[in-house]
Amino acid sequence: MRSFFRNWWRTLVVVALLVAAIQVFVRPSTALERAEPVRAAGVVLFRPFYSAADFLRGGLSGVWNRYIALVGVSRENERLRKEVTELRERLHATRDAVLENRRLKELLSYSQTVERRTLGARVVGHDVSPWFRAIFLGTGSEAGIESGMSVVTPYGAVGRIHKVHSGLSEVLLVTDGRFAADVMVERSRVRAIAEGVGGNFCRLKYVSPAQDVAVGDRIVFSGFDGSMPKGVLLGTVVSVDRPKESLFQKVNVQCAVNFQDVEDVMVILSRPTVPFRAVTD
Amino acid sequence: MKHFLVLFALSYLGASLCVWWLSGFVPWFLLPDFPFLAVVFSGLFVPGGAGFLCALPPAIFREITTSAPSWSMFLGSMALYFASREIGRRFLLRSEPSLLGAVVSLLAAESFSVVLLLFLSGGRPFSFLWGAQEAVRIAWTSLIAVPLFLDLSVRWRRVKE
């Protein structure tokens, strides 16, 4: 028996470590939070690298935006002037509708579900592992970032804060397989669960064949599950498949944000309120 | 000490280069996993407790730079260290083909187990294209590993002699 253990103890350690890894993968343990200073020390080691990367990227994009990209700016200026005039006219036309909307909202005591106190943050790196989709931000717990907060850009949703360190936070992208949130089709108000499928895509789950979803539809977060703010754009439907034998449609959504190119994001510091989850004493 | 410093530098610079500098420009499947290589090298070629110590920093680097649930990547990397140690003890790895086989099988085993776990937890983020890209990553990382491992081990043997 002793010789067996002497010969095979490494294999037994491998098995024990794998079991422990699977356990923390499936059910994260709070006991491991005591080891957090070790990881914090590791993050401090990487800081010069990602700060330098951030500085260089900022400098390069500054040179590009201020000098090289100015070629043809007068033509663009002319086009923008025309666009502004058109938009002013359209704004004038919709002002009445906005006022009416405001009155109706007040009438229904509609509460704002998202209090958008945001914080700008720079993307300093990407998770390069093949299994997970995440980006790293150069701002961390010192700025008030907490895990679970939503991360967006003016073009659409990016993801959710996953881990936070001092000076560094990790964002789980909406395309990661572990991401899921309640969404709705902007046009038909059909609700579904969006789940990341890698690449730049998500899929919609639990859309019955009777429900109205079409290619080109915009998908926005409903805000009902409290994980993402209401109305933020997820992306556009690129394919709808209605298999005869299946209970649900297969809907693929291309995300509005290209995660490879994103440089700056906004972290929504206040979590969305969830009306139906509110506990009353 | 020399082993520790060299493997520390290899995994630190490799992770920094891939995660902070090249990510966003170079596709993920062309970026080799240097901390993985450092963990495997310490298991295969660095004997005793020194190997264990050498494997710790790259395992922590993998934990920080990978978006897995907290500490799962660290524990997985330590399991990888003991597995490669067992391979190094039971099979003599001096020729290129056997070294290539060992690295490819460890990379494939790790990838397969993470994919299996994600599948079991309900995620389906993998496609045929992903499989092809992952095959490129495994091949590319293994091809880098063979000359790197042979060069480092030969150098250290010479220093010892």
Side-chain angles (χ1 to χ4, degrees):
Chain A
M1 192 66 176
R2 188 175 286 179
S3 67
F4 171 80
F5 278 111
R6 199 177 297 153
N7 276 330
W8 293 99
W9 72 270
R10 288 175 197 86
T11 313
L12 294 173
V13 170
V14 170
V15 173
L17 283 168
L18 282 178
V19 169
I22 290 168
Q23 179 64 26
V24 293
F25 196 98
V26 176
R27 199 174 297 165
S29 166
T30 47
L32 286 168
E33 278 172 14
R34 282 185 209 144
E36 209 50 43
V38 178
R39 198 160 51 187
V43 171
V44 169
L45 269 179
F46 281 119
R47 191 168 292 164
F49 261 94
Y50 66 75
S51 301
D54 181 32
F55 178 76
L56 269 180
R57 275 179 200 168
L60 282 174
S61 67
V63 169
W64 179 267
N65 291 334
R66 283 181 206 138
Y67 301 102
I68 300 165
L70 286 181
V71 179
V73 78
S74 59
R75 244 177 296 156
E76 198 182 350
N77 206 356
E78 191 61 36
R79 188 179 58 78
L80 287 172
R81 273 176 205 276
K82 278 183 189 166
E83 209 173 302
V84 166
T85 317
E86 278 175 27
L87 286 172
R88 270 198 190 132
E89 281 171 18
R90 226 182 280 172
L91 184 72
H92 186 72
T94 54
R95 194 165 287 159
D96 281 348
V98 170
L99 289 172
E100 188 186 359
N101 194 319
R102 197 179 294 164
R103 279 199 307 275
L104 289 170
K105 266 186 184 177
E106 279 167 10
L107 201 66
L108 292 168
S109 305
Y110 184 79
S111 63
Q112 198 83 26
T113 49
V114 184
E115 188 194 322
R116 293 191 186 200
R117 201 157 62 86
T118 57
L119 173 84
R122 277 263 174 86
V123 176
V124 291
H126 297 70
D127 183 346
V128 293
S129 72
W131 317 289
F132 310 109
R133 300 276 169 268
I135 55 172
F136 295 97
L137 306 182
T139 316
S141 52
E142 75 286 347
I145 296 178
E146 288 173 28
S147 57
M149 287 177 169
S150 313
V151 181
V152 297
T153 68
Y155 308 105
V158 174
R160 227 171 2 225
I161 299 287
H162 184 219
K163 291 180 202 163
V164 190
H165 312 281
S166 170
L168 187 77
S169 2
E170 191 183 295
V171 182
L172 190 77
L173 297 179
V174 292
T175 52
D176 188 283
R178 294 166 292 165
F179 183 93
D182 198 300
V183 293
M184 60 166 71
V185 180
E186 197 180 51
R187 176 180 58 85
S188 59
R189 314 313 280 175
V190 167
R191 278 179 64 191
I193 301 293
E195 191 182 71
V197 289
N200 214 35
F201 295 94
C202 288
R203 65 171 176 168
L204 299 191
K205 290 171 86 176
Y206 314 122
V207 182
S208 81
Q211 288 177 314
D212 180 17
V213 182
V215 173
D217 274 344
R218 281 157 56 94
I219 306 297
V220 293
F221 287 97
S222 70
F224 290 132
D225 60 353
S227 66
M228 294 294 282
K230 182 181 168 71
V232 174
L233 181 67
L234 172 69
T236 313
V237 175
V238 285
S239 72
V240 181
D241 190 15
R242 295 180 175 87
K244 280 180 185 169
E245 291 82 18
S246 180
L247 282 172
F248 302 110
Q249 299 184 52
K250 287 182 178 171
V251 183
N252 283 317
V253 177
Q254 183 162 31
C255 296
V257 178
N258 183 358
F259 303 109
Q260 284 296 309
D261 296 341
V262 69
E263 287 179 22
D264 299 286
V265 296
M266 285 188 296
V267 182
I268 296 178
L269 290 173
S270 41
R271 294 168 191 225
T273 51
V274 191
F276 62 86
R277 275 192 196 162
V279 181
T280 47
D281 294 321
Chain B
M1 191 61 182
K2 200 176 276 182
H3 287 99
F4 180 83
L5 287 176
V6 169
L7 290 174
F8 182 91
L10 176 79
S11 52
Y12 176 60
L13 291 174
S16 303
L17 198 73
C18 293
V19 177
W20 315 117
W21 286 86
L22 297 176
S23 65
F25 308 111
V26 181
W28 62 266
F29 55 90
L30 293 180
L31 296 171
D33 192 344
F34 283 104
F36 174 93
L37 294 181
V39 171
V40 173
F41 185 86
S42 20
L44 291 177
F45 294 101
V46 187
F52 181 78
L53 279 181
C54 288
L56 283 174
I60 291 171
F61 295 158
R62 293 193 90 205
E63 167 64 28
I64 294 165
T65 56
T66 308
S67 160
S70 292
W71 296 105
S72 60
M73 212 53 184
F74 175 77
L75 291 168
S77 302
M78 291 322 289
L80 179 75
Y81 161 74
F82 282 105
S84 47
R85 192 151 176 71
E86 198 63 24
I87 291 173
R89 232 172 60 87
R90 294 196 185 273
F91 313 99
L92 193 64
L93 293 164
R94 289 282 175 264
S95 64
E96 284 96 341
S98 56
L99 203 53
L100 187 72
V103 178
V104 166
S105 55
L106 285 169
L107 274 165
E110 185 188 51
S111 190
F112 177 75
S113 38
V114 178
V115 168
L116 188 70
L117 267 177
L118 286 170
F119 256 81
L120 291 176
S121 58
R124 300 280 184 278
F126 306 109
S127 59
F128 180 75
L129 178 68
W130 178 87
Q133 288 174 333
E134 177 64 347
V136 170
R137 186 188 77 98
I138 290 175
W140 174 228
T141 307
S142 316
L143 286 173
I144 287 177
V146 175
L148 189 74
F149 284 9
L150 285 175
D151 185 66
L152 281 177
S153 62
V154 167
R155 269 172 208 271
W156 273 324
R157 217 181 306 145
R158 268 193 218 141
V159 170
K160 263 187 189 172
E161 282 164 10

